[in-house]
Amino acid sequence: SQTIHQWPATLVQPVGSPLSLECTVEGTSNPNLYWYRQAAGRGLQLLFYSVGIGQISSEVPQNLSASRPQDRQFILSSKKLLLSDSGFYLCAWRPAGTGGYEQYFGPGTRLTVT
Amino acid sequence: DQQVKQNSPSLSVQEGRISILNCDYTNSMFDYFLWYKKYPAEGPTFLISISSIKDKNEDGRFTVFLNKSAKHLSLHIVPSQPGDSAVYFCAASGLGRSQGNLIFGKGTKLSVKP
């Protein structure tokens, strides 16, 4: 069966510090991968998606970047965090080449920028 | 501009009664719709989906209805249970087939009272 992991679970970082959040998927190959953010009182905002190694598409211009160094690894980064980067970050995967659109989410990372 | 709208931020229902969660969309190109359930500090879990070629899909206590002419879908939970208390997100897709991108509503918080 497939599983998705995210770490860390929680993170408190000062403004201006760097960020690295990691997501890995097990039990599948060549998945589509996604990074979302849920800000307080808001819905899920798609930040980045990837259909393959090294292929990253950005949905929203921001202070963040993403990379996919391996097939089942997706990393969200920032060089200098802003207060507005606080939120709940979610990674999701979807089997490539399937007819359905179901995405499966990881447990999330709660980021607080102070 | 919100393409997927959940106009009720919250809903309170008595245990054993029906819960009806509503969702409206604006883009007629959407052809697949999904509902997710989310507990606090956890990732969303996929609940049920429906293709635009159908008007109803049922899975146990959960039924999703789609009215394409009204660009409206609803999730019915019967009977409602206290464990159903969570935030429910409506999502739509079909615009980016290869990427499988989803557009989420802002969610409705369901409270089921014993």
Side-chain angles (χ1 to χ4, degrees):
Chain A
S1 63
Q2 300 86 7
T3 55
I4 179 169
H5 305 277
Q6 283 186 249
W7 63 91
T10 60
L11 191 60
V12 180
Q13 293 282 96
V15 169
S17 64
L19 173 74
S20 181
L21 303 181
E22 190 164 344
C23 169
T24 58
V25 181
E26 296 177 356
T28 187
S29 296
N30 195 32
N32 287 2
L33 296 172
Y34 309 85
W35 278 112
Y36 289 87
R37 175 172 60 203
Q38 185 185 17
R42 304 193 65 179
L44 299 173
Q45 180 186 34
L46 178 63
L47 302 175
F48 301 94
Y49 66 89
S50 171
V51 298
I53 295 174
Q55 300 179 60
I56 308 294
S57 296
S58 174
E59 286 293 296
V60 184
Q62 61 218 319
N63 184 42
L64 302 169
S65 62
S67 62
R68 185 170 177 173
Q70 300 179 45
D71 180 45
R72 290 168 289 175
Q73 185 185 30
F74 206 21
I75 296 172
L76 184 69
S77 304
S78 174
K79 292 182 179 178
K80 290 185 178 181
L81 283 169
L82 306 172
L83 284 174
S84 58
D85 292 324
S86 293
F88 192 53
Y89 288 83
L90 291 156
C91 181
W93 73 276
R94 168 182 173 257
T98 60
Y101 289 89
E102 291 82 3
Q103 294 181 15
Y104 302 95
F105 286 82
T109 294
R110 170 70 61 190
L111 171 66
T112 303
V113 182
T114 60
Chain B
D1 180 33
Q2 267 191 286
Q3 298 188 68
V4 177
K5 300 176 184 179
Q6 294 177 257
N7 293 319
S8 298
S10 63
L11 175 67
S12 184
V13 173
Q14 206 68 30
E15 181 180 6
R17 307 294 288 269
I18 184 171
S19 295
I20 300 177
L21 299 136
N22 294 304
C23 178
D24 297 294
Y25 62 96
T26 58
N27 196 324
S28 57
M29 295 296 289
F30 290 141
D31 63 1
Y32 202 85
F33 304 89
L34 308 90
W35 284 94
Y36 283 83
K37 175 181 179 180
K38 185 182 181 300
Y39 293 117
E42 294 184 9
T45 55
F46 169 70
L47 204 54
I48 192 169
S49 61
I50 188 167
S51 166
S52 61
I53 62 173
K54 296 184 177 181
D55 54 19
K56 177 183 174 181
N57 188 25
E58 190 172 354
D59 183 2
R61 296 187 297 115
F62 303 91
T63 303
V64 56
F65 295 92
L66 175 62
N67 182 334
K68 283 189 295 182
S69 61
K71 294 191 179 67
H72 176 83
L73 65 155
S74 60
L75 174 68
H76 292 210
I77 306 174
V78 183
S80 301
Q81 300 173 354
D84 296 329
S85 297
V87 176
Y88 288 79
F89 289 98
C90 170
S93 191
L95 299 181
R97 290 191 171 278
S98 62
Q99 303 92 335
N101 292 359
L102 299 178
I103 297 176
F104 285 85
K106 291 188 175 181
T108 296
K109 184 176 182 179
L110 174 65
S111 299
V112 180
K113 299 182 177 181

